[in-house]
Amino acid sequence: MTIRILPAIGDPDAARAVSSLLHQLPDAEPAPTVADSAALLHALAGAAAQGAGAAAAGPPSAAGQPSAVEALPEVVLVHERIGPTPALELIREVALRFPAVGVVLITTDAGPALFSAAMDAGARGIVGLPLGYDELAARVQAAAQWSAGVRVHLGGSPEAAPGPAGTLVTVTGAKGGVGTTVTAVQLALAARAAGRSAALVDLDLQSGDVASYLDVQFRRSVVDLAGIQDISVRVLQDAVHDHHTGLGLLLAPEEGERGEEVDDRAARQIIGALRSRYEVVLVDCGSQMQSANAAAVELADLALLVTTPDVVAVRAAKRQVRLWDRLQIRKAEDTTTVVNRLTRNTEIQPPLVAKATGTQVARTHVPAAFKELQPCVDAGRMQDLDNRSTVKQALCALAGELGLVDSPSARQGRGSHRARPTLSGRKRKAITPGAAPASGGVPGQASGTTASGAGPNPGPRFGVRRGSAAAAGPGPFDPSGPYEEG
């Protein structure tokens, strides 16, 4: 969310200092500084009138309300030496005339008496002089979130809803070794490649491997944020590693025993801070439930459960789902299961996984092709996985299915078999009705006729399957379901 800030500062030196810090704030859009109270009220009234005029001239907003409120800045900074109206009286007038604007007072005396008077006047915070980046960023963000909440109730845009805006996706393994981290890493890379800001958090606190998969050596971890009550933008930037792919990485600690320092309260606060900065937040929860990753699963917009199509893994997935239900973390119907390492010869197919776990199963299944992954896994460079890899194509298609990217497969839908990688990694060639078969046909037979010449016979949609007669009808290939053995 872009935060529009209007500074009202009469002191030129203080104005320069405030302007310099405001331009360093992420997602901030500072306006030119106004020098007195009359100019501030005039600027706010002009913005409101311009927004109301635009709403009257054009179509109504999505909420059906005028956009006068939306035209106002989210935050106004008032210096204590503003004139001619005293600062507290000016704050009170702004709060009464423009209740959707969050006002922050800049003062040299940040004592309890002035703090109480400023709150009574309608201010949303106080920043002490000399100015500090962390304190200014925290007060501006708090005032902006409050302003966004007020605008929703006043009929502003629903897009200005307060609180976290990023999509939170958790990836949990039914058991160890089912491909949880590979899935989380590739989904995050797919979201970043689509142009969305993405963060990848390793909440497998005792044995997280995100750093190993992406060849990262970084001394900061999620533990460094656990004991901080108010996570500012600067603190978050220090703890998050900016990977050269564009991902923001918040890693698990090197010492697994330190993972106990991250409890559910810390996890909620950390995730909330990340969601306010990134469009997509992927969390690798591992396969062992602790208070931190349990809180992440509870908060998630999308909770993925990764399993392989074998009896042991499916039973583990069922136990995981029941655990979440008993602890009231998440219901089975709100969980999406991803079937990894699926082959056409696998006896346990996705419909059986859905029946056993009671969850939704993603339409996109990841094929078994470890030979494609092994060089990148051994080198610790999953970002270098070939785009022609069937595993990467499947996970990109899964990202499109989940809405993390606007992929061709998501637009074409499941009916197009070209949008879905085959389980064997080979391209399928569609045979249209009336076309001559490439092999297996009867010599001398005309296209579109039966062997006896009785008339047109389009035959099975995907041709004749090996080991079956042409007259037996279509085989068990089903474009809307998994492969099955006859």
Side-chain angles (χ1 to χ4, degrees), residues 140-418:
V140 166
Q141 287 188 342
Q145 290 187 358
W146 175 87
S147 173
V150 172
R151 292 172 192 226
V152 172
H153 295 290
L154 291 179
S157 173
E159 297 179 356
T167 301
L168 176 61
V169 182
T170 58
V171 185
T172 309
K175 66 181 188 65
V178 296
T180 307
T181 303
V182 171
T183 301
V185 169
Q186 289 298 328
L187 289 178
L189 289 172
R192 185 67 192 97
R196 307 185 70 181
S197 59
L200 178 58
V201 185
D202 195 348
L203 279 187
D204 188 0
L205 298 174
Q206 291 186 352
S207 55
D209 288 325
V210 168
S212 299
Y213 276 89
L214 292 174
D215 191 21
V216 172
Q217 294 182 354
F218 192 61
R219 61 185 180 89
R220 299 285 187 183
S221 71
V222 65
V223 175
D224 296 311
L225 298 177
I228 300 177
Q229 297 295 329
D230 188 8
I231 300 177
S232 65
V233 177
R234 178 64 62 85
V235 171
L236 190 64
Q237 288 176 343
D238 290 340
V240 174
H241 173 70
D242 293 327
H243 197 254
H244 66 83
T245 58
L247 288 179
L249 303 180
L250 188 56
L251 305 174
E254 286 288 342
E255 303 84 6
E257 65 273 11
R258 295 197 62 192
E260 297 179 357
E261 301 176 24
V262 185
D263 56 8
D264 57 340
R265 181 205 61 80
R268 294 175 187 275
Q269 189 174 9
I270 292 168
I271 289 173
L274 289 170
R275 294 179 71 181
S276 65
R277 183 181 176 190
Y278 295 94
E279 296 178 79
V280 178
V281 179
L282 269 295
V283 180
D284 180 3
C285 294
S287 57
Q288 298 296 324
M289 278 292 102
Q290 300 172 341
S291 59
N293 48 23
V297 173
E298 183 180 2
L299 293 173
D301 300 307
L302 296 169
L304 304 183
L305 182 61
V306 181
T307 185
T308 49
D310 57 84
V311 174
V312 176
V314 173
R315 285 178 176 173
K318 186 176 181 179
R319 288 196 302 269
Q320 191 77 273
V321 170
R322 288 182 173 179
L323 173 65
W324 290 352
D325 185 64
R326 289 196 304 272
L327 298 179
Q328 297 182 354
I329 297 174
R330 201 170 194 89
K331 295 182 179 180
E333 54 268 25
D334 296 331
T335 304
T336 302
T337 300
V338 178
V339 181
N340 189 22
R341 301 173 194 158
L342 185 66
T343 65
R344 66 171 67 226
N345 297 321
T346 303
E347 293 185 5
I348 298 179
Q349 289 292 320
L352 182 57
V353 175
K355 184 177 180 181
T357 60
T359 62
Q360 305 176 28
V361 174
R363 298 191 302 268
T364 305
H365 317 307
V366 185
F370 184 71
K371 289 184 178 180
E372 300 175 358
L373 296 174
Q374 187 170 6
C376 296
V377 171
D378 292 342
R381 298 183 61 83
M382 285 300 300
Q383 67 272 18
D384 294 338
L385 185 61
D386 195 335
N387 291 331
R388 295 173 296 180
S389 166
T390 57
V391 175
K392 184 170 184 177
Q393 291 177 3
L395 289 173
C396 288
L398 176 63
E401 180 183 337
L402 299 175
L404 303 181
V405 301
D406 186 17
S407 65
S409 59
R411 292 192 299 266
Q412 293 178 9
R414 296 191 63 224
S416 173
H417 69 272
R418 295 184 181 180

Side-chain angles (χ1 to χ4, degrees), residues 6-35:
L6 178 58
I9 304 172
D11 185 359
D13 294 334
R16 284 192 295 269
V18 170
S19 178
S20 176
L21 288 177
L22 290 179
H23 281 88
Q24 298 178 32
L25 297 180
D27 302 326
E29 188 179 293
T33 304
V34 295

